[in-house]
C-alpha cells in the first residue's frame, strides 16, 4: 500500500496540490483534486436480516455486513471508514472491522431482552474515507434496510393463572371434562412461551388430564366412598421446563339427590348432670324438590338393654316403694340374700341390678310367716319380668308365684304363671269365704309377655275384679273362668317363686312347672291395692326423650309421647316447621349417677305428597347416645373412734351415745390445670365435696352378737319417722335404710345408743359402720368404733385421760399433685394449737406415770409389812398416802384380804395400760368426772374394795 501511495505524489504536485500559493485557490484546488480522486460512493446490500440471542451482544447478519468502493485501491477514497445507523434510541451500533475490505459488524450496545422487543428494523449506510486523512467530504452509500430478530432463551417457567381450582361433580357419572386448568409462560418465543403438556402429580386418583389442561374422571365417583378429592397438577412448556409451582385442584363429590335427613351426627355424647341435651340441633330434611303435603316422624330411644328396660333408680325395692309413696306392709318375695332372707341364696343373680334369672331348673320356697295365709279380698302383686317364647312345641305352665298344698294333695290356692305367651292369675277361694261358683282364672294375652324385653306388671285384686297394669297401661282380662271354692282342710300351704311345689300325688314332693326368664322386685301387698300414681312412679324411667321449649314449636305441629317417653311422634305439613321441631328434640337423664353406655336412637319418617298416598321413601336415622361415666363419689365416715364411759352411764336409761360427732362427707377428685400456662408444673387434683343421697347404713357389732338379756342398741322411732327412714334391729347390729340425704343419716346416727345392764364384766365393745348409695354401687369406708367401760375402781385414775379425746378435723378440699402416691401422702397441716395440746398431753401423761409408780412402790411396801406381821388388820404406811375406808362396808370373810390384794394388783396393771389411751373432748370429760365420783361414793356401800385417795401424792 505504501508504494502505491508514493506514486501518486508527482501527479499531485503537477496539479499544484500543496504548492502553498493563495488560500482560496488552495481550497478550490483540493476540491477539484478530491473530485478527481474519490469518484465513487461505497456500495452495500439493499437489505440485511440478522439474528441476535437475548442477553448476547453480537448480531449475525445475512448477508454479512461488507461495503465496497470502486475507488479502491486509491487510499482514503477507496477505503470504508464507518457505518451509520439511522434511528432513535436503537440498542445497536455498527463498527468497521477492516477499512480496506469494508467488513463491518453489528453489535448490541446494551442487553437485548426478547420479552421487551422481539425484532428491530432500521437503516444503515456505509461511508468511505474521503480524499485524504483530513478530508470530511466522505461519500456515503445508499440506504440499506436491516431487520433483526431477537432469539429467545427459555428463562421463564410456566405459571398457572389460578393458584387453586375448585369444582363440584355429581356422583355416578363419567365426565369428558370436569374443569380446565391453564398455565402461561412469559418467554417471547413460541417454543418457550407455549405450554405443551400438563401432568397430574398426585398418584392413585381416578382422574386424568390432556395437553390442553382438561381434567376428567376415569371412573364413577361415589359420595359415600369419598366426599372430596384434592389433586396437584403441573405444566410443561415446549422446552420441557416444568411449572415453578403446582396448582391445587379440589373436586367435591355431590351425592345424587336422595330424599333423607341431612346434617346429623351418629354419635351423641351425654355428660351426666347436663340436663336436657338436643339430639339433632342442625338436622334438616332433603326432599329433592318433591311436593310434600304432610310428614310424620317417629323418634324412638331404645333402652331395653339398660337395666330393666331403661335407666331407673337402682335402690332396693323397699326404698323405691317408699320414694313413690306406696302403702306400708309390702312384702318383698325376691330380696337380696342375707341371713334373714336366705331363701334367694341359691338362685342365679345378676348382682348389678338384683335380677334373678330362672333357667327352668330352680325354685325358691318362701318361709312360713313371711306372707299371711289370708290375703283378703284386696291385695296387689308387682314384678318386673323379661320372658321369651316357651321352649318346646307344647308349652307347659311356667310358674312365677304359687301357693299350693305342702303335703298330701296338689291344690293350688293362688298362682301367677305364663302359659302359651298368656299371663294367667289363679285365685281359688275357700269354702269358708264363699260357697258359690266364683271367678277363679284371669287370662291376659299380650305380645309383650314373650318379646324378651323388660316390662313392669302390677296385678290389683279387688275380688271378684282383677286388673292388670303393664308399663303403666291398664289391661282387662280377655277371659275369666269360674270354679268352685276349695274344700277346707288342715293341710299346710307352701308359697314358692319360680316353680310350683307339688306336695301330693307324687312319690316324693318336688318342684314342678318351672319358669324360664328373669324376675325382679316381686312383691305382694296383702289387704290393700296400689294407686295408679304409685304404679306409674314405680315403673317410670329416669331417662327419655324431651322437647325443649314447647312454646316455640311451629304452628301445625302435633306431637305425643308414650308413657315412658321413649317414643315421640310428630306430625305436620310444613317441612320448615318439622325441621325446627325435630331440632328441639332432646335426651334427658335425671339420675345423678346414670348407667353409662349406649342408647340406640332411630328416627323414621313417612312422607305424603299431593294426590298420592306415599310419594318418596326417607331412610331411617340410625344414631346413638353415649352416656359417659359419672364421677364416682368417695363416701367418708369420720368421727371419734375410741372413748371411755363410766359403767353407770351404760346402765342408765339413756345409755351411751355411740356416734355423737359422726360426719358423712362425699368428695370427688377434680383435675385442674396450672394457672400459669407457661409453666410445666403437673396438673393438680382438688377434692370437691358433692351432695347425694344414701340408701342404707349398717351398724355391725364386732366380736360377737349382742346378748339381749343384758345389752341392746336403741334408737327412738320418732328420729326415723321425722326423716322418712326405716330401720331393723337385731343382735348382729342395727340397719337404717331408706333414700335420704347424708345429713339425715348423720342426724339419725347421732342418736344411736348402746345400753348394758351388767357392765361389770364388760371391758369394751366394738362397732362398725358402713353406708351405701344406690344399693351398694357406692360404699363408704368402714368406720370402726371402740367403746370402753370405765369401771368405778378406776374412775379416779381414768379421769385425767378423758380430755385427750379430740374430734378429727372435718374433711376439707385440698389441692393434690396429679400422681396417686402424692394424693395419698397429702394431709391437712396441723395448727400451732394442736402442737401445743399434744405437748401438754405428753407432759400430763408423764406426771401421771410418775404418780402411778409412786403408788405401786407404796403398795409393795404395804404387802411386805402385812406378810411379816401376819396380822388380820392392815397396817398402812401413810407417810405419803391417805386411805379412805367406807364405814358401811362389811367384810366377806377371813380370806377377803388376799382376794382384795390380788384384785388391787390387777386394777393397777389395768391403770398402767389405760394411761396411754386416747381421750374424749373437754365437755364429756367434765360429765364423766362428775358421774365417776358419784358412782364411786355409791359403790363403796356395795363392794368390799379399798379406794385410794391420791390427792395428797406429791407428784
Amino acid at each position: 500500500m505504501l508504494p502505491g501511495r508514493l506514486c501518486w505524489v508527482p501527479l499531485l504536485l503537477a496539479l499544484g496540490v500543496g504548492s502553498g500559493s493563495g488560500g482560496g485557490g488552495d481550497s478550490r484546488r483540493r476540491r477539484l483534486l478530491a473530485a478527481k480522486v474519490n469518484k465513487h460512493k461505497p456500495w452495500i446490500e439493499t437489505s440485511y436480516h440478522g439474528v441476535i440471542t437475548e442477553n448476547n451482544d453480537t448480531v449475525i447478519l445475512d448477508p454479512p455486513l461488507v461495503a465496497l468502493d470502486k475507488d479502491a485501491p486509491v487510499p482514503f477514497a477507496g477505503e470504508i471508514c464507518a457505518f451509520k445507523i439511522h434511528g432513535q434510541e436503537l440498542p445497536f451500533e455498527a463498527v468497521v472491522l477492516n477499512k480496506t475490505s469494508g467488513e463491518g459488524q453489528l453489535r448490541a450496545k446494551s442487553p437485548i431482552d426478547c420479552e421487551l422487543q422481539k425484532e428491530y428494523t432500521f437503516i444503515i449506510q456505509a461511508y468511505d474515507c474521503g480524499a485524504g486523512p483530513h478530508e470530511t467530504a466522505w461519500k456515503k452509500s445508499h440506504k440499506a434496510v436491516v431487520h433483526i430478530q431477537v432469539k429467545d432463551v427459555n428463562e421463564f417457567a410456566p405459571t398457572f393463572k389460578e393458584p387453586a381450582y375448585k369444582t363440584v361433580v355429581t356422583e355416578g357419572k363419567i365426565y369428558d371434562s370436569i374443569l380446565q386448568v391453564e398455565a402461561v409462560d412469559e418467554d417471547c418465543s413460541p417454543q418457550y412461551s407455549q405450554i405443551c403438556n400438563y401432568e397430574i402429580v398426585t398418584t392413585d386418583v381416578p382422574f386424568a388430564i390432556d395437553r390442553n389442561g382438561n381434567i376428567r374422571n376415569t371412573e364413577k365417583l361415589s359420595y359415600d366412598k369419598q366426599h372430596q378429592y384434592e389433586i396437584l397438577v403441573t405444566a410443561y412448556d415446549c422446552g420441557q421446563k416444568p411449572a415453578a409451582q403446582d396448582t391445587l385442584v379440589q373436586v367435591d363429590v355431590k351425592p345424587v339427590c336422595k330424599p333423607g335427613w341431612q346434617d346429623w351426627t351418629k354419635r351423641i355424647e351425654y355428660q351426666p348432670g347436663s340436663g336436657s341435651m338436643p339430639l339433632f340441633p342442625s338436622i334438616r330434611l332433603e326432599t329433592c324438590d318433591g311436593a310434600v303435603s304432610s310428614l310424620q316422624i317417629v323418634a324412638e330411644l331404645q333402652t331395653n338393654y339398660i337395666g330393666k328396660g331403661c335407666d331407673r333408680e337402682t335402690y332396693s325395692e323397699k326404698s323405691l316403694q317408699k320414694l313413690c309413696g306406696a302403702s306400708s306392709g309390702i312384702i318383698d318375695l325376691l330380696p337380696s340374700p342375707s341371713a334373714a332372707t336366705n331363701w334367694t341364696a341359691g338362685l342365679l343373680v345378676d348382682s348389678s341390678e338384683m335380677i334373678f334369672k330362672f333357667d327352668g331348673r330352680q325354685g325358691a320356697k318362701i318361709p312360713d310367716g313371711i306372707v299371711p295365709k289370708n290375703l283378703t279380698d284386696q291385695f296387689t302383686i308387682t314384678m318386673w319380668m323379661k320372658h321369651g317364647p316357651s321352649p318346646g312345641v307344647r308349652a307347659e305352665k311356667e310358674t312365677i308365684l304359687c301357693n299350693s298344698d305342702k303335703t298330701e294333695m296338689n291344690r293350688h290356692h293362688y298362682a301367677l304363671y305364663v302359659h302359651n305367651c298368656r299371663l294367667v292369675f289363679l285365685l281359688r277361694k275357700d269354702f269358708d269365704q264363699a260357697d258359690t261358683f266364683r271367678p277363679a282364672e284371669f287370662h291376659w294375652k299380650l305380645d309383650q309377655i314373650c318379646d324378651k324385653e323388660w316390662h313392669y306388671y302390677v296385678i290389683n285384686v279387688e275380688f271378684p275384679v282383677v286388673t292388670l297394669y303393664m308399663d303403666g297401661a291398664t289391661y282387662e282380662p280377655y277371659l275369666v273362668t269360674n270354679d268352685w271354692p276349695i274344700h277346707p282342710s288342715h293341710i299346710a300351704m307352701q308359697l314358692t317363686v319360680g316353680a310350683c311345689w307339688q306336695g301330693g300325688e307324687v312319690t316324693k314332693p318336688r318342684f314342678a312347672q318351672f319358669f324360664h326368664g328373669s324376675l325382679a322386685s316381686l312383691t305382694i301387698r296383702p289387704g290393700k291395692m296400689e294407686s295408679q300414681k304409685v304404679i306409674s312412679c314405680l315403673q317410670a324411667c329416669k331417662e327419655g326423650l324431651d322437647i325443649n321449649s314447647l312454646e316455640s314449636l311451629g304452628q301445625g305441629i302435633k306431637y305425643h309421647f308414650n308413657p315412658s317417653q321413649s317414643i315421640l311422634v310428630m306430625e305436620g305439613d310444613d317441612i320448615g316447621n318439622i325441621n325446627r321441631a325435630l331440632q328441639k328434640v332432646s335426651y334427658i337423664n335425671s339420675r345423678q349417677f346414670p348407667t353409662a353406655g349406649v342408647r340406640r336412637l332411630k328416627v323414621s319418617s313417612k312422607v305424603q305428597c299431593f294426590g298420592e298416598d306415599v310419594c318418596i321413601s326417607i331412610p331411617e336415622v340410625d344414631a346413638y347416645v353415649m352416656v359417659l361415666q359419672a364421677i364416682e363419689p368417695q363416701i367418708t365416715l369420720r368421727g371419734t373412734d375410741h372413748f371411755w364411759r363410766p359403767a353407770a352411764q351404760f346402765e342408765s336409761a339413756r345409755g351411751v351415745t355411740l356416734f355423737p360427732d359422726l360426719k358423712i362427707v362425699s368428695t370427688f377428685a377434680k383435675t385442674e390445670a396450672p394457672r400459669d400456662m407457661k409453666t410445666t408444673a403437673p396438673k393438680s387434683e382438688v377434692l370437691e365435696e358433692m351432695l347425694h343421697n344414701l340408701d342404707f347404713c349398717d351398724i355391725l357389732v364386732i366380736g360377737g352378737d349382742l346378748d339381749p338379756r343384758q345389752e341392746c342398741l336403741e334408737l327412738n322411732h320418732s328420729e326415723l319417722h321425722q326423716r322418712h327412714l326405716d330401720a331393723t334391729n337385731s343382735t348382729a347390729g342395727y340397719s337404717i335404710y331408706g333414700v335420704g340425704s347424708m345429713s339425715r343419716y348423720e342426724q339419725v346416727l347421732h342418736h344411736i345408743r348402746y345400753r348394758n345392764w351388767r357392765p361389770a364384766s364388760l371391758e369394751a365393745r366394738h362397732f362398725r359402720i358402713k353406708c351405701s348409695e344406690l344399693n351398694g354401687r357406692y360404699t363408704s369406708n368402714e368406720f370402726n368404733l371402740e367403746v370402753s367401760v370405765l369401771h368405778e375402781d378406776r374412775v379416779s385414775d381414768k379421769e385425767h385421760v378423758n380430755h385427750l379425746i379430740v374430734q378429727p378435723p372435718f374433711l376439707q378440699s385440698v389441692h393434690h399433685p396429679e400422681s396417686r402416691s402424692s394424693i395419698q401422702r397429702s394431709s391437712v397441716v396441723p395448727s400451732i394449737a394442736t402442737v401445743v395440746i399434744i405437748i401438754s398431753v405428753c407432759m400430763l401423761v408423764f406426771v401421771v406415770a410418775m404418780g402411778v409408780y409412786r403408788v405401786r412402790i407404796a403398795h409393795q411396801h404395804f404387802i411386805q409389812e402385812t406378810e411379816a406381821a401376819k396380822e388380820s388388820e392392815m397396817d398402812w404406811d401413810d407417810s405419803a398416802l391417805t386411805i379412805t375406808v367406807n364405814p358401811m362396808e362389811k367384810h366377806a370373810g377371813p380370806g377377803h384380804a388376799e382376794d382384795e390384794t390380788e384384785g388391787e394388783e390387777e386394777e393397777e396393771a389395768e391403770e398402767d395400760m389405760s394411761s396411754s389411751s386416747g381421750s374424749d373432748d373437754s365437755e364429756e370429760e367434765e360429765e364423766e368426772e362428775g358421774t365417776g365420783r358419784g358412782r364411786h361414793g355409791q359403790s363403796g356401800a356395795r363392794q368390799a374394795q379399798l379406794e385410794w385417795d391420791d390427792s395428797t401424792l406429791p407428784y
Side-chain angles (χ1 to χ4, degrees), residues 691-743:
L691 299 177
H692 57 79
N693 291 329
L694 299 177
D695 57 359
F696 71 81
C697 282
D698 287 338
I699 306 169
L700 302 178
V701 181
I702 307 302
D705 290 351
L706 297 174
D707 185 355
R709 296 172 297 179
Q710 66 179 23
E711 57 183 342
C712 69
L713 290 173
E714 291 183 344
L715 177 64
N716 291 336
H717 289 286
S718 61
E719 301 292 342
L720 293 169
H721 295 159
Q722 291 175 3
R723 296 165 179 85
H724 305 286
L725 299 176
D726 292 318
T728 57
N729 193 1
S730 67
T731 58
Y734 216 102
S735 181
I736 304 170
Y737 59 90
V739 180
S741 64
M742 292 184 291
S743 61

Side-chain angles (χ1 to χ4, degrees), residues 229-428:
Y229 292 89
E230 291 184 349
I231 58 177
L232 294 176
V233 177
T234 191
Y236 295 90
D237 61 17
C238 295
Q240 294 303 307
K241 191 166 189 175
Q245 185 175 1
D246 301 333
T247 187
L248 176 65
V249 178
Q250 179 177 314
V251 180
D252 292 331
V253 182
K254 183 179 70 173
V256 176
C257 186
K258 299 177 182 178
W261 294 100
Q262 307 291 331
D263 301 333
W264 54 275
T265 305
K266 187 175 183 65
R267 175 188 171 99
I268 306 158
E269 291 189 352
Y270 182 81
Q271 184 67 42
S274 56
S276 182
M277 184 188 70
L279 295 172
F280 310 109
S282 304
I283 197 170
R284 61 181 180 85
L285 179 62
E286 176 62 62
T287 60
C288 297
D289 299 328
V292 176
S293 61
S294 64
L295 178 63
Q296 182 187 71
I297 298 173
V298 179
E300 181 180 2
L301 183 69
Q302 299 178 351
T303 60
N304 48 3
Y305 45 88
I306 301 295
K308 296 190 289 291
C310 70
D311 207 4
R312 295 180 170 89
E313 295 292 0
T314 56
Y315 294 118
S316 65
E317 186 63 23
K318 286 186 177 180
S319 298
L320 289 176
Q321 297 273 1
K322 197 171 186 68
L323 279 176
C324 291
S327 55
S328 59
I330 294 173
I331 303 169
D332 191 357
L333 301 180
L334 286 177
S336 302
S338 65
T341 58
N342 57 0
W343 65 86
T344 59
L347 301 178
L348 298 176
V349 180
D350 184 351
S351 58
S352 61
E353 297 286 347
M354 291 311 302
I355 296 170
F356 293 85
K357 298 181 178 180
F358 295 86
D359 57 2
R361 295 175 295 178
Q362 292 177 315
K365 292 182 180 181
I366 308 298
D368 296 338
I370 299 296
V371 179
K373 180 179 179 180
N374 184 15
L375 295 178
T376 72
D377 286 342
Q378 288 188 347
F379 60 92
T380 301
I381 299 175
T382 66
M383 67 175 178
W384 284 96
M385 182 179 73
K386 182 169 72 172
H387 180 264
S390 303
V393 178
R394 184 179 179 182
E396 296 183 355
K397 294 181 180 179
E398 299 180 57
T399 301
I400 300 170
L401 180 67
C402 180
N403 188 30
S404 60
D405 291 333
K406 184 176 293 187
T407 58
E408 300 182 20
M409 303 181 71
N410 190 29
R411 298 177 303 175
H412 295 183
H413 297 264
Y414 63 86
L416 181 64
Y417 59 90
V418 175
H419 188 212
N420 289 328
C421 292
R422 291 169 173 82
L423 186 66
V424 182
F425 178 65
L426 170 68
L427 180 61
R428 301 284 302 278

Side-chain angles (χ1 to χ4, degrees), residues 320-612:
L320 289 176
Q321 297 273 1
K322 197 171 186 68
L323 279 176
C324 291
S327 55
S328 59
I330 294 173
I331 303 169
D332 191 357
L333 301 180
L334 286 177
S336 302
S338 65
T341 58
N342 57 0
W343 65 86
T344 59
L347 301 178
L348 298 176
V349 180
D350 184 351
S351 58
S352 61
E353 297 286 347
M354 291 311 302
I355 296 170
F356 293 85
K357 298 181 178 180
F358 295 86
D359 57 2
R361 295 175 295 178
Q362 292 177 315
K365 292 182 180 181
I366 308 298
D368 296 338
I370 299 296
V371 179
K373 180 179 179 180
N374 184 15
L375 295 178
T376 72
D377 286 342
Q378 288 188 347
F379 60 92
T380 301
I381 299 175
T382 66
M383 67 175 178
W384 284 96
M385 182 179 73
K386 182 169 72 172
H387 180 264
S390 303
V393 178
R394 184 179 179 182
E396 296 183 355
K397 294 181 180 179
E398 299 180 57
T399 301
I400 300 170
L401 180 67
C402 180
N403 188 30
S404 60
D405 291 333
K406 184 176 293 187
T407 58
E408 300 182 20
M409 303 181 71
N410 190 29
R411 298 177 303 175
H412 295 183
H413 297 264
Y414 63 86
L416 181 64
Y417 59 90
V418 175
H419 188 212
N420 289 328
C421 292
R422 291 169 173 82
L423 186 66
V424 182
F425 178 65
L426 170 68
L427 180 61
R428 301 284 302 278
K429 288 291 186 177
D430 294 338
F431 258 111
D432 56 353
Q433 295 175 319
D435 56 357
T436 58
F437 209 52
R438 305 295 296 273
E441 284 189 355
F442 305 84
H443 299 249
W444 294 272
K445 185 178 180 180
L446 304 173
D447 295 336
Q448 293 88 338
I449 295 174
C450 290
D451 65 356
K452 296 183 180 180
E453 303 291 346
W454 281 104
H455 298 284
Y456 187 62
Y457 298 85
V458 178
I459 297 175
N460 264 351
V461 178
E462 190 175 14
F463 194 80
V465 178
V466 178
T467 305
L468 171 66
Y469 296 89
M470 190 195 68
D471 296 336
T474 306
Y475 297 90
E476 297 295 334
Y478 81 96
L479 175 64
V480 178
T481 60
N482 297 335
D483 203 347
W484 291 104
I486 296 178
H487 292 282
S489 68
H490 299 288
I491 301 174
M493 291 180 289
Q494 178 63 62
L495 182 61
T496 57
V497 174
C500 197
W501 183 253
Q502 190 171 358
E505 302 177 359
V506 292
T507 306
K508 182 180 179 180
R510 58 181 175 85
F511 281 115
Q513 301 176 1
F514 291 96
F515 179 72
H516 297 79
S518 298
L519 296 174
S521 304
L522 177 60
T523 68
I524 189 168
R525 168 63 173 89
K528 192 172 183 179
M529 296 190 306
E530 289 299 351
S531 65
Q532 179 72 39
K533 181 179 179 181
V534 172
I535 294 172
S536 300
C537 175
L538 290 173
Q539 64 89 34
C541 291
K542 293 297 182 180
E543 63 179 342
L545 299 176
D546 193 16
I547 296 180
N548 290 331
S549 181
L550 293 174
E551 296 80 6
S552 61
L553 287 179
Q555 294 182 355
I557 300 296
K558 300 178 181 179
Y559 71 93
H560 66 271
F561 290 95
N562 68 333
S564 62
Q565 287 195 214
S566 61
I567 298 177
L568 168 64
V569 180
M570 291 194 299
E571 297 179 359
D573 53 8
D574 183 79
I575 300 298
N577 289 339
I578 287 289
N579 288 339
R580 286 186 289 272
L582 190 54
Q583 290 169 5
K584 297 180 182 300
V585 176
S586 60
Y587 170 80
I588 187 171
N589 194 318
S590 60
R591 293 190 64 191
Q592 187 176 10
F593 306 106
T595 303
V598 173
R599 276 75 162 163
R600 296 291 178 186
L601 181 63
K602 292 186 179 297
V603 178
S604 58
S605 309
K606 183 179 180 181
V607 179
Q608 289 187 345
C609 297
F610 293 99
E612 300 180 20

Side-chain angles (χ1 to χ4, degrees), residues 646 790-802 848 852 855 907 911 914 928-929 931-933 935-936 946-951 955:
L790 194 61
H791 292 286
E792 296 172 358
D793 55 348
R794 304 173 204 165
V795 170
S796 59
D797 294 327
K798 291 288 185 178
E799 288 174 349
H800 64 275
V801 299
N802 234 10
V848 171
V852 173
V855 171
E907 291 169 3
E911 289 172 354
S914 63
E928 290 172 10
E929 287 176 355
T931 306
R933 292 189 185 99
R935 293 287 299 171
H936 179 229
L946 297 177
E947 296 293 331
W948 295 95
D949 181 6
D950 54 1
S951 60
Y955 294 146

Side-chain angles (χ1 to χ4, degrees), residues 689-947:
E689 185 173 345
M690 66 187 305
L691 299 177
H692 57 79
N693 291 329
L694 299 177
D695 57 359
F696 71 81
C697 282
D698 287 338
I699 306 169
L700 302 178
V701 181
I702 307 302
D705 290 351
L706 297 174
D707 185 355
R709 296 172 297 179
Q710 66 179 23
E711 57 183 342
C712 69
L713 290 173
E714 291 183 344
L715 177 64
N716 291 336
H717 289 286
S718 61
E719 301 292 342
L720 293 169
H721 295 159
Q722 291 175 3
R723 296 165 179 85
H724 305 286
L725 299 176
D726 292 318
T728 57
N729 193 1
S730 67
T731 58
Y734 216 102
S735 181
I736 304 170
Y737 59 90
V739 180
S741 64
M742 292 184 291
S743 61
R744 287 185 180 180
Y745 271 86
E746 272 187 12
Q747 295 167 5
V748 171
L749 291 172
H750 289 170
H751 292 85
I752 294 288
R753 304 184 306 276
Y754 170 68
R755 292 183 61 194
N756 193 310
W757 301 278
R758 302 172 187 173
S761 59
L762 181 65
E763 292 295 331
R765 259 301 187 184
H766 296 80
F767 302 92
R768 177 179 297 162
I769 301 183
K770 190 173 184 179
C771 296
S772 160
E773 163 67 338
L774 294 176
N775 203 24
R777 180 177 174 183
Y778 304 113
T779 57
S780 70
N781 62 313
E782 293 183 348
F783 177 75
N784 295 302
L785 170 66
E786 180 181 354
V787 181
S788 299
V789 181
L790 194 61
H791 292 286
E792 296 172 358
D793 55 348
R794 304 173 204 165
V795 170
S796 59
D797 294 327
K798 291 288 185 178
E799 288 174 349
H800 64 275
V801 299
N802 234 10
H803 69 281
L804 297 180
I805 300 177
V806 180
Q807 179 177 334
F810 184 77
L811 184 63
Q812 300 178 0
S813 295
V814 186
H815 285 269
H816 300 279
E818 188 176 17
S819 63
R820 182 68 60 184
S821 60
S822 60
I823 293 175
Q824 295 175 353
R825 290 194 301 267
S826 63
S827 61
V828 181
V829 178
S831 62
I832 298 177
T834 304
V835 176
V836 173
I837 292 173
I838 293 174
I839 295 174
S840 302
V841 168
C842 294
M843 294 179 62
L844 181 59
V845 170
F846 174 78
V847 173
V848 171
M850 291 298 296
V852 173
Y853 175 76
R854 292 288 301 275
V855 171
R856 291 179 61 87
I857 294 298
H859 182 58
Q860 291 176 1
H861 180 66
F862 159 73
I863 293 175
Q864 292 174 0
E865 289 183 350
T866 302
E867 291 178 350
K870 295 182 180 180
E871 296 176 353
S872 59
E873 295 182 356
M874 292 179 292
D875 186 11
W876 300 96
D877 181 8
D878 55 357
S879 60
L881 299 176
T882 301
I883 302 175
T884 303
V885 181
N886 192 337
M888 300 298 294
E889 182 180 7
K890 294 183 179 179
H891 296 284
H896 179 73
E898 296 180 1
D899 297 339
E900 186 179 72
T901 303
E902 293 176 358
E904 290 172 354
E905 291 176 354
E906 292 177 359
E907 291 169 3
E908 289 169 358
E910 291 175 358
E911 289 172 354
D912 292 341
M913 295 175 61
S914 63
S915 63
S916 60
S917 302
S919 61
D920 201 351
D921 53 73
S922 58
E923 295 180 359
E924 294 175 349
E925 176 190 4
E926 294 173 0
E927 294 177 1
E928 290 172 10
E929 287 176 355
T931 306
R933 292 189 185 99
R935 293 287 299 171
H936 179 229
Q938 296 172 5
S939 63
R942 299 196 309 266
Q943 300 179 3
Q945 294 182 351
L946 297 177
E947 296 293 331

